[in-house]
Amino acid sequence: MAGSNGAKRRGLKVIGKPFHKVDAKVKVTGELKFADDLMLPRMLHTRLLRSTVPHARIVKIDTSKAEAYPGVKAVLLGKDLPTTYGALPVSEDEHALAIDRVRMVGDPVAAIAAVDEDVATEALDLIEVEYELLQTITSIQDAYAITEPRIHEYGELGNIHRRQVYEFGNVEAGFADADFVREDITFYEGSTHLALEQHASLAQFSHDGKLTLWTSTQDMHYLHRHLAKVLGLPGSHIRVIATPNGGGFGGKCDPFNHEIVVSKLAMITGRPVKICLTREEVFYAHRGRHPVLMSTKTGFKKDGSITAMHHRTILDGGAYGGHGVASTFYTGILQTTTHNVPHYKFEAVRVFTNKAPCGPKRGHGTPQPRWAQEIQLDRIAEQVGLDPAEMRKQHAIPPNSITANWIRIGTLALGECIDKVVKGSGWKEKFRKLPYGKGVGIACSAYMTGTQTPIYYNKMPHSGVQLKLDRSGGVCVYCGSVEIGQGSDSILAYIVAEVLGIHPFDIRVVTGDTDLTPVDLGSYSSRVTLMTGNAAIQAAERAREILRQAVSEKLDVPGSRLSFADRRVFDTENPEKGMSFVEAVWLAEEKFGTLGTTGSYKPPAAPGKYKGSTIGPSPAFTCTASVAEVEVNPETGIVTVPRVWIAHDIGQAINPLLVVGQIEGCVYMGLGEALMEEMTYRGNRNMVHKFPSFLEYKSPTTLEMCDVVTYLVESQDPNGPFGAKEAGQGPQLPVPPAIANAVYDAVGVRIDEIPITPDKVMKALRAKAKGKEGRYGPTVFPTCEMPEAIVVKTPFEGGDGKAVEREPALSRK
Amino acid sequence: MKQTRKKGNGRLQKAHIRLQVNGEQVEVAFAPHKTLLEVLREDLGLTGTKHGCELGECGCCAVLVDGKPVLSCLALGLAVEGHEVTTVEGMAQGTELHPLQQTFAELGAAQCGYCTPGILLTAKVLIEKVPRPSRDEIKEALAGNLCRCTGYIKIYEAVELAAARMAGEPGEPAKESIYGWE
């Protein structure tokens, strides 16, 4: 069924309709102000002096010449901002400016505020920094081998940031039960968000002691807390305004050093201070996809069912913690959410290296293991002689399951998604039947609609919405969510309009301002539609109740008989009897005084009770199935993708037009990661980015982008607002493995390393021609000493969600 | 990185030129090394023109000079003296949107909206030259404009719809592009 049918069935007027976005018109006219479009009188400009070396002690910094340079108003050093911060409370390992140590090329060591950007840039050259070089940690292998020097003084061993081992059930027993066991080692290269808007911030500190920061951030609320901590100001004196993001994709989630620096410079100079990073600086700011090396050992039966899986990952984290601890969990925690896995062991390691720090990029930590799993499932299907689409459908976990690792899945229409793409793509006529050089591949995935746990522990709502109504009939929605292009402002208008029976474009939406809007945790983890949507429904229903009382009294009609639709409030049984929405608000204001309501949302508790069980659970899971068709030129190794079919269980499309747009964007980004995007460094140990520019960092242009055939499946999730689930991240996940599987179908070689570049295809083809294994990819999975596993009995074994108490004599490795 | 300027020796440093911007005659003074992008944004307040790299690689800053697309980050402000520059602010007639702006809004072709001004202007020139462009012609014309949000598909559809409407044909978007396929 096409999107919006569910809404039509239920008589909804706004939900499920393809309204344009509330900000669409101001975006097409250039009227919308992004952070760098803001200019204030007396504004100063900032540039950062960045480290040119990957790992060093700072012996001396001399800023005297820069300070004396005409037009320079302030020079800032690390000692001026001594407090550490970082996205997660467990890894607050950053300084706004390096104090005595640089850990990567691009680490900022000094900042200059000057009358214009040119003067600031010129003055940077006058700062003298003396470095004492330290050994550089360039890779996972280095991080395992070199324990001194340590990039950070915290963490586990040497340069290992994080190690974790979980065993759900008993994988050895599961392997013993299998007909076959196979282990595949794969690698997914890092990539960056490449949002077109360069990060920009503008700070103003007024003489009343209040700081305002306009900035291109996805996570305004968390940034607000970090600013308070690092600047030593009360949170109540700081106002963060999240300007509309010119693309985020996870790249504007972390609190950034430049945001803190301009705030401090505004406090010092008493003038507005602005910064806009250059594109090269944005590459080093990064926080993108972790490079992940994976080993996936899976036991399976002849019917394609999995008996056990032991999945190991190593993440190359770069120079800082950031969101990395969460990323580490995500490289394994969702492996159980599509194909049934009764016993599951997950080991993960994150290392520090002297490179730009990795973090959350669309799919946060899950595209890498999903790729590993889906290309292995393709091999499994071949090994047992099953059609990979059929096999996936056969063993798809049913809705309302609890997985081995205690993730509760609600609605999940995976079988229906598989059916859609199989039928649409003509899978049965194509798979293993196309001529050499052409192929199709399939893959599936599941993804969270928001996380159950906020980044710092608290019991407060994850999202808040306030509504203001007044006698003009005007309705204003206030919410701390941040519009990053996904349409979060529009979602609020659609939902409130639906509940109040008015038109979405009658509503004003105010978002992303810590002074004006109630807290919402931010635009990450695909949480916004579900959480702000539920909060908006609550606030709007409360407002509707107020209006209902006033109108009921006036018309002498029982409140339960009143309907709200078409900008009217009327008697359902006698629709002529009623009044305009404006009159209803007027009456309510007379009766109750000034009108305002609030709504809030907090996700339900998850069933897992073991340490670490808070990462992974979500109020609702989406699932996606995708078929990719590829053409591989065996002479050049060039892979092109003419078309991708993709079916996504959206729950309910709040607006199908926006959902289809998100899915097409996911396919695009998956295609880029599959074929060309790579965040790599020069190999001379200087760890300079190989190509920090749009020209050389390859991303798909119109000429590489494939056709996309999108199917929306609406499973109506009871936890979602009007049944809705996420669309912005999940649909990316199956695209790279579907392409890899299609490459195998086309030319019979397995490329076990993303991106699938022509050189890798050629190497695999040549190996095959010589009678060797037709494969390109890693062959060795390095090991380090791991802690003992946290063992949790699965729901299938009658577990209670808690870890098994370990007695010393019984503990297992 | 910008070159170090020679320090002033008491003389005025700014260049002063006259040009047409969005149909209006304007005079503007600016440091002579400034790019057209900087002059438009910083000296003329036309921040509708965006920048993603300032190296001529992303297409965000495309404007029209005498009706032809130009990457404003690669052109000197001085080079447009006496020329006609069109920015996104010049596309709508009063409050009436250009058909491309209308279809970009209608079809969700602007997600974050950051690449949109450059793409709108590039597409405008395409339709002026090729009134009913094929999908391949659209791809070719927009190959220098990067977009990270949309996967370009809604952009193609919006260009096609606008072209149809401008040719006086009944322009309705395809059902699949709004609701997905059955």
Side-chain angles (χ1 to χ4, degrees):
Chain A
M1 105 192 33
S4 92
N5 280 4
K8 224 180 265 172
R9 269 201 312 277
R10 288 179 288 158
L12 299 173
K13 301 262 183 179
V14 181
I15 303 303
K17 298 279 189 326
F19 287 102
H20 68 69
K21 295 202 290 185
V22 295
D23 52 5
K25 299 277 173 81
V26 294
K27 281 181 173 169
V28 298
T29 53
E31 211 179 305
L32 186 75
K33 298 281 188 205
F34 294 91
D36 194 44
D37 299 337
L38 303 173
M39 303 184 197
L40 292 174
R42 302 180 72 239
M43 184 171 84
L44 301 174
H45 295 263
T46 291
R47 294 297 312 272
L48 298 171
L49 181 72
R50 293 180 181 272
S51 171
T52 51
V53 295
H55 199 191
R57 256 183 220 104
I58 299 172
V59 179
K60 204 172 82 186
I61 304 183
D62 183 353
T63 59
S64 54
K65 286 182 198 156
E67 280 166 50
Y69 193 68
V72 170
K73 298 294 175 186
V75 178
L76 203 62
L77 292 174
K79 63 179 168 54
D80 302 313
L81 288 163
T83 308
T84 55
Y85 66 95
L88 300 187
V90 291
S91 46
E92 296 196 332
D93 56 9
E94 299 182 51
H95 285 105
L97 297 167
I99 291 186
D100 51 8
R101 184 84 170 270
V102 289
R103 297 180 170 86
M104 55 176 263
V105 170
D107 251 346
V109 296
I112 288 179
V115 290
D116 65 34
E117 230 178 338
D118 292 335
V119 172
T121 306
E122 287 156 16
L124 287 185
D125 292 344
L126 303 175
I127 299 176
E128 287 161 25
V129 186
E130 194 184 317
Y131 295 110
E132 179 194 322
L133 299 184
L134 297 169
Q135 184 170 11
T136 309
I137 316 297
T138 67
S139 62
I140 288 168
Q141 287 73 13
D142 271 7
Y144 274 24
I146 303 166
T147 52
E148 288 290 336
R150 297 182 76 184
I151 294 175
H152 289 283
E153 294 310 312
Y154 80 108
E156 304 236 359
L157 316 158
N159 286 301
I160 293 173
H161 175 203
R162 184 84 178 180
R163 298 174 303 164
Q164 59 194 40
V165 186
Y166 289 93
E167 182 165 7
F168 304 95
N170 183 335
V171 285
E172 287 310 324
F175 287 139
D177 201 26
D179 294 329
F180 308 98
V181 176
R182 65 172 303 136
E183 182 179 353
D184 293 292
I185 301 175
T186 55
F187 179 67
Y188 198 110
E189 183 57 277
S191 58
T192 201
H193 317 84
L194 207 71
L196 283 165
E197 180 202 25
Q198 302 149 242
H199 302 50
S201 308
L202 169 62
Q204 183 180 35
F205 190 70
S206 48
H207 288 91
D208 60 3
K210 301 260 173 71
L211 174 76
T212 305
L213 178 70
W214 292 264
T215 186
S216 44
T217 181
Q218 294 179 234
D219 291 0
M220 167 188 84
H221 168 69
Y222 295 122
L223 174 63
H224 186 238
R225 289 170 51 84
H226 293 296
L227 286 174
K229 184 183 167 207
V230 179
L231 299 171
L233 285 176
S236 58
H237 289 214
I238 300 173
R239 177 183 188 185
V240 181
I241 298 175
T243 47
N245 286 201
F249 317 113
K252 292 163 182 166
C253 285
D254 284 64
F256 282 98
N257 46 51
H258 64 267
E259 295 174 315
I260 296 167
V261 164
V262 288
S263 300
K264 183 72 178 179
L265 285 168
M267 291 167 70
I268 292 172
T269 59
R271 288 173 68 166
V273 180
K274 182 173 172 178
I275 191 165
C276 181
L277 302 191
T278 65
R279 177 52 53 183
E280 186 179 13
E281 289 179 300
V282 173
F283 272 92
Y284 285 98
H286 192 40
R287 319 279 160 165
R289 183 85 68 230
H290 283 77
V292 185
L293 185 59
M294 292 164 281
S295 154
T296 311
K297 183 179 170 188
T298 302
F300 52 101
K301 287 186 173 285
K302 287 176 191 143
D303 66 354
S305 61
I306 289 175
T307 59
M309 186 188 291
H310 181 189
H311 177 66
R312 293 180 290 162
T313 65
I314 310 174
L315 297 82
D316 181 347
Y320 293 98
H323 287 80
V325 170
S327 320
T328 307
F329 274 99
Y330 286 131
T331 61
I333 220 75
L334 300 188
Q335 299 310 82
T336 53
T337 54
T338 53
H339 212 88
N340 186 41
V341 181
H343 298 280
Y344 181 52
K345 187 171 180 183
F346 169 41
E347 291 181 43
V349 178
R350 185 180 193 262
V351 301
F352 287 124
T353 53
N354 295 114
K355 297 190 272 195
C358 299
K361 181 186 172 197
R362 204 170 205 161
H364 193 186
T366 71
Q368 303 98 319
R370 179 51 63 181
W371 135 272
Q373 184 170 4
E374 295 296 315
I375 60 177
Q376 186 181 60
L377 281 172
D378 206 57
R379 289 175 150 117
I380 289 174
E382 186 173 47
Q383 199 170 338
V384 297
L386 292 173
D387 176 289
E390 274 304 310
M391 185 187 85
R392 282 180 172 84
K393 194 180 162 192
Q394 194 67 36
H395 301 293
I397 65 164
N400 303 311
S401 306
I402 295 179
T403 65
N405 54 337
W406 290 91
I407 291 179
R408 187 195 285 126
I409 308 286
T411 55
L412 201 76
L414 187 53
E416 201 181 327
C417 289
I418 293 171
D419 287 345
K420 291 272 184 201
V421 293
V422 162
K423 185 161 171 262
S425 65
W427 172 261
K428 295 204 168 106
E429 293 75 53
K430 290 178 180 166
F431 180 65
R432 300 287 189 263
K433 290 177 187 147
L434 292 173
Y436 183 74
K438 292 188 179 202
V440 288
I442 190 166
C444 297
S445 63
Y447 198 68
M448 316 167 298
T449 308
T451 66
Q452 183 227 343
T453 322
I455 283 181
Y456 63 96
Y457 179 76
N458 71 81
K459 293 180 177 173
M460 288 176 278
H462 290 216
S463 190
V465 165
Q466 289 181 335
L467 278 191
K468 189 212 76 173
L469 299 83
D470 70 33
R471 60 196 80 174
S472 69
V475 176
C476 191
V477 188
Y478 299 86
C479 179
S481 57
V482 177
E483 175 62 60
I484 62 171
Q486 83 282 47
S488 57
D489 281 8
S490 302
I491 295 301
L492 290 166
Y494 302 148
I495 285 175
V496 171
E498 182 68 58
V499 175
L500 295 180
I502 55 179
H503 195 279
F505 301 151
D506 292 346
I507 293 172
R508 231 171 230 287
V509 179
V510 177
T511 55
D513 183 328
T514 57
D515 264 13
L516 301 182
T517 59
V519 170
D520 175 79
L521 296 180
S523 286
Y524 67 95
S525 86
S526 275
R527 53 175 296 287
V528 182
T529 293
L530 186 138
M531 298 200 192
T532 68
N534 281 325
I537 288 175
Q538 188 178 61
E541 284 181 344
R542 285 172 176 170
R544 191 172 62 186
E545 267 330 290
I546 291 170
L547 302 182
R548 195 191 294 279
Q549 282 182 42
V551 176
S552 164
E553 193 178 285
K554 178 78 175 179
L555 296 181
D556 196 22
V557 171
S560 58
R561 249 170 56 190
L562 290 175
S563 284
F564 290 70
D566 305 323
R567 298 183 171 121
R568 286 182 75 235
V569 185
F570 55 90
D571 182 353
T572 313
E573 292 178 7
N574 177 16
E576 295 298 304
K577 190 171 178 185
M579 64 181 70
S580 71
F581 181 79
V582 181
E583 289 168 313
V585 178
W586 181 292
L587 269 182
E589 194 172 334
E590 278 179 354
K591 184 172 167 66
F592 297 106
T594 301
L595 301 176
T597 59
T598 61
S600 43
Y601 179 77
K602 202 172 134 184
K609 305 284 178 245
Y610 59 90
K611 186 170 185 273
S613 63
T614 52
I615 300 182
S618 171
F621 280 83
T622 60
C623 59
T624 316
S626 177
V627 168
E629 188 166 311
V630 305
E631 292 174 12
V632 184
N633 183 331
E635 302 298 316
T636 62
I638 292 174
V639 178
T640 51
V641 180
R643 182 165 292 180
V644 164
W645 292 261
I646 187 161
H648 181 65
D649 171 10
I650 179 66
Q652 161 70 52
I654 298 284
N655 180 335
L657 177 70
L658 304 194
V659 174
V660 172
Q662 285 300 307
I663 294 171
E664 288 169 353
C666 281
V667 172
Y668 159 85
M669 209 162 263
L671 178 80
E673 290 187 18
L675 296 184
M676 62 191 89
E677 296 192 28
E678 41 186 341
M679 180 87 178
T680 48
Y681 297 81
R682 290 188 192 164
N684 56 4
R685 298 191 81 79
N686 285 335
M687 304 325 284
V688 173
H689 196 291
K690 213 185 243 176
F691 28 53
S693 77
F694 274 116
L695 189 63
E696 292 171 286
Y697 177 95
K698 300 296 180 212
S699 65
T701 70
T702 54
L703 301 180
E704 288 80 36
M705 181 57 193
C706 56
D707 290 344
V708 182
V709 177
T710 302
Y711 306 93
L712 305 185
V713 173
E714 299 189 317
S715 60
Q716 305 294 339
D717 196 285
N719 283 342
F722 296 99
K725 305 191 280 191
E726 69 89 32
Q729 302 194 78
Q732 184 183 330
L733 304 185
V735 177
I739 291 172
N741 292 339
V743 168
Y744 179 71
D745 189 45
V747 290
V749 296
R750 295 280 179 191
I751 311 300
D752 288 337
E753 185 179 308
I754 284 282
I756 304 169
T757 48
D759 56 315
K760 294 175 191 170
V761 175
M762 289 315 292
K763 280 177 186 154
L765 284 171
R766 285 192 193 121
K768 197 182 176 199
K770 285 183 192 156
K772 294 184 199 154
E773 191 188 7
R775 171 181 187 267
Y776 182 92
T779 51
V780 180
F781 189 85
T783 52
C784 70
E785 196 189 316
M786 293 298 282
E788 285 198 90
I790 292 173
V791 178
V792 184
K793 272 190 168 182
T794 67
F796 328 118
E797 297 170 317
D800 56 4
K802 292 183 187 151
V804 175
E805 296 264 344
R806 198 187 294 114
E807 290 172 38
L810 295 175
S811 65
R812 300 190 256 171
K813 268 272 169 186
Chain B
M1 199 168 287
K2 283 160 187 165
Q3 283 195 334
T4 303
R5 292 164 302 159
K6 293 202 171 63
K7 286 295 136 207
N9 45 12
R11 281 183 300 145
L12 294 177
Q13 294 286 308
K14 286 189 171 179
H16 189 178
I17 66 166
R18 184 177 291 155
L19 70 160
Q20 290 266 333
V21 178
N22 299 328
E24 285 170 21
Q25 186 89 341
V26 298
E27 275 182 40
V28 59
F30 52 88
H33 62 274
K34 277 186 136 178
T35 62
L36 175 56
L37 169 74
E38 291 166 326
V39 174
L40 289 170
R41 288 175 53 82
E42 297 165 10
D43 301 297
L44 292 168
L46 294 169
T47 55
T49 303
K50 308 301 179 198
H51 55 81
C53 63
E54 296 166 86
L55 294 166
E57 298 170 352
C58 69
C60 284
C61 69
V63 298
L64 307 185
V65 176
D66 300 332
K68 293 197 186 100
V70 164
L71 295 172
S72 64
C73 74
L74 294 185
L76 280 175
L78 277 175
V80 297
E81 180 166 17
H83 291 271
E84 161 77 43
V85 176
T86 308
T87 69
V88 70
E89 288 92 342
M91 281 186 76
Q93 297 299 313
T95 56
E96 193 177 332
L97 298 182
H98 186 280
L100 278 164
Q101 292 175 307
Q102 183 62 37
T103 56
F104 269 60
E106 227 173 283
L107 285 177
Q111 281 190 21
C112 80
Y114 200 81
C115 68
T116 310
I119 290 183
L120 283 169
L121 290 162
T122 312
K124 179 172 179 280
V125 174
L126 170 69
I127 295 180
E128 281 163 7
K129 276 200 286 198
V130 186
R132 291 303 309 273
S134 66
R135 182 64 66 99
D136 281 346
E137 284 168 325
I138 297 170
K139 288 183 181 180
E140 192 66 39
L142 297 178
N145 294 81
L146 296 180
C147 169
R148 289 291 277 176
C149 295
T150 62
Y152 306 105
I153 292 169
K154 293 276 171 278
I155 293 172
Y156 307 149
E157 291 166 352
V159 173
E160 286 161 354
L161 185 59
R165 286 181 184 168
M166 287 165 78
E169 293 167 32
E172 282 304 318
K175 193 164 169 280
E176 303 83 55
S177 57
I178 293 174
Y179 294 103
W181 291 72
E182 290 287 332

